[in-house]
Structures are given as structure tokens and as C-alpha cells.
Amino acid sequence: MALRTLIASETIQARIRELGKQIDRDYPNGTLYLICILKGAAFFLADLARAVEREAFIDFMGIASYGKGKTSSGEVKVTKDLDISLEGVDVLIVEDIVDSGITLNYLTQLLRQRRPRSLEICALLDKPERRQRPIPVKYVGFQIPDEFVVGYGLDFAERYRNLADVCVLEPDEAA
Ligand code: PRP
């Protein structure tokens, strides 16, 4: 397999600084709760949280989706829940990628039951062509084509998460 850089690290970081400024403008008051969906979004969360200047609390949620790949049951399970309450606060879900929308569709329904004051999504990458469930994503870093991407948190069988760039994973030409 070969890696082709799709979005270079400097471009990612520049876009995150813009997103941070936009988020600061949109949430002028109170504490913003940044909810990171493990594992892929951990890198994005770490950079985004430092790009906002306002007060931000962070927490992590683990999700396993069984609706991906060959089946499309859309079944999603929480594997690690939040430690903090979301009642009455502004919540921003931080994701690395929105693909089918199944994960976020489920998650937004679940988190709305916890009565936050507001609930929005910030995703570094969006693959609109792949959408199966409608999901409003307020902040998108980059829209990308339907290619298999790794790096900056995204994996292939747990590999490549620690690449600084987002890369397309391609079969070797000789293969
Ligand atoms: C990825 C990504 C989203 C989900 C998006 O997670 O982080 O949570 O898939 O896909 P969807 O829009 O089709 O639901 P993944 O299950 O690969 O877990 P990971 O972040 O731990 O690698």
C-alpha cells in the first residue's frame, strides 16, 4: 500500500486556527464543552481545543458501530460514556470524519436526551458522497472525495493514526 498526501499538516493546522476563531465568535459566553469521539478525533480535539481562546472543557466518548462495511444495520453502541453532565451547557461534538452519518445520527439523538443548551458538530473531514443519514455538521474542516484516508487520527487496522498529514491509502501500482 502507498500513501499519497491529501491534506498536509500545515494546511490542517491553518484550517484549525480558522475554525477556532469562528467557534470563539459563535460562542461568546459561558463554557464550551468539547466532546471527542474516540479514537480518531483525539488528535483533532487536542489541536482544536488549543485553537479556541474561550474556556473549554473536554471529555471523551467511545462508540462502536456495527453498521459499517458489508452490513448497514446502523447499530451503534457506547463503549465509553462521558464523565460530565451536559445539562444546560453548550456542547460541540468533535469528530475526525463524517462518512455515512450513522455514528453522528445516533450520537446526537443520544446526547440531546441529556438536555444540553445547544448541540453542534465540528468535523475535520466530511465525505458528503457517502451520506446515508442526514446530519447537520456546523463546522467542517475539509470536504473530501470518497477515498480511503488515514493519518491525523484516522487508521487502517489501527495503523497510520500518528501521521501528521491526512493521506490517501492506495494499492501499490505493482500489486
Ligand atoms: C470513524 C469516525 C466516526 C465514524 C464516522 O470512527 O471517527 O466516528 O467512523 O463514520 P460514519 O459517518 O459512517 O458513522 P471509527 O469507527 O473508524 O473508529 P475510530 O475513530 O476509533 O478509528
Side-chain angles (χ1 to χ4, degrees):
M1 301 291 260
L3 294 169
R4 170 171 55 86
T5 300
L6 183 67
I7 312 170
S9 169
E10 303 73 38
T11 310
I12 297 170
Q13 296 303 328
R15 181 72 184 116
I16 292 174
R17 284 193 292 275
E18 287 177 1
L19 288 171
K21 289 200 180 88
Q22 198 181 340
I23 291 167
D24 279 336
R25 281 197 300 272
D26 290 351
Y27 295 90
N29 305 308
T31 304
L32 180 62
Y33 285 61
L34 299 174
I35 304 301
C36 172
I37 310 308
L38 295 169
K39 300 174 192 174
F43 294 74
F44 181 38
L45 172 89
D47 287 336
L48 185 71
R50 286 176 290 184
V52 296
E53 293 186 353
R54 57 171 354 285
E55 182 172 86
F57 290 178
I58 64 166
D59 203 352
F60 298 85
M61 196 155 188
I63 299 281
S65 36
Y66 303 106
K68 304 176 100 178
K70 297 184 187 83
T71 62
S72 59
S73 69
E75 198 184 326
V76 179
K77 191 178 135 198
V78 175
T79 55
K80 187 227 169 284
D81 208 337
L82 301 170
D83 299 325
I84 53 181
S85 162
L86 301 183
E87 192 163 349
V89 302
D90 291 313
V91 175
L92 192 55
I93 298 173
V94 179
E95 258 293 19
D96 49 355
I97 188 162
V98 190
D99 193 331
S100 69
I102 287 171
T103 306
L104 282 170
N105 186 278
Y106 170 85
L107 196 63
T108 49
Q109 288 180 43
L110 180 77
L111 295 186
R112 244 183 232 114
Q113 291 169 14
R114 301 184 185 185
R115 300 174 182 279
R117 181 165 65 187
S118 68
L119 181 66
E120 301 288 354
I121 297 164
C122 178
L124 181 71
L125 305 174
D126 182 15
K127 274 187 189 173
E129 286 169 53
R130 299 260 306 172
R131 203 72 91 249
Q132 291 178 31
R133 306 278 160 88
I135 184 85
V137 184
K138 183 164 185 182
Y139 305 98
V140 174
F142 304 91
Q143 284 200 346
I144 60 168
D146 183 14
E147 295 185 289
F148 195 90
V149 285
V150 296
Y152 197 71
L154 293 141
D155 74 309
F156 172 61
E158 296 300 328
R159 292 179 69 195
Y160 307 115
R161 288 195 200 274
N162 60 328
L163 297 177
D165 303 332
V166 170
C167 299
V168 176
L169 191 61
E170 295 176 319
D172 287 323
E173 277 176 34

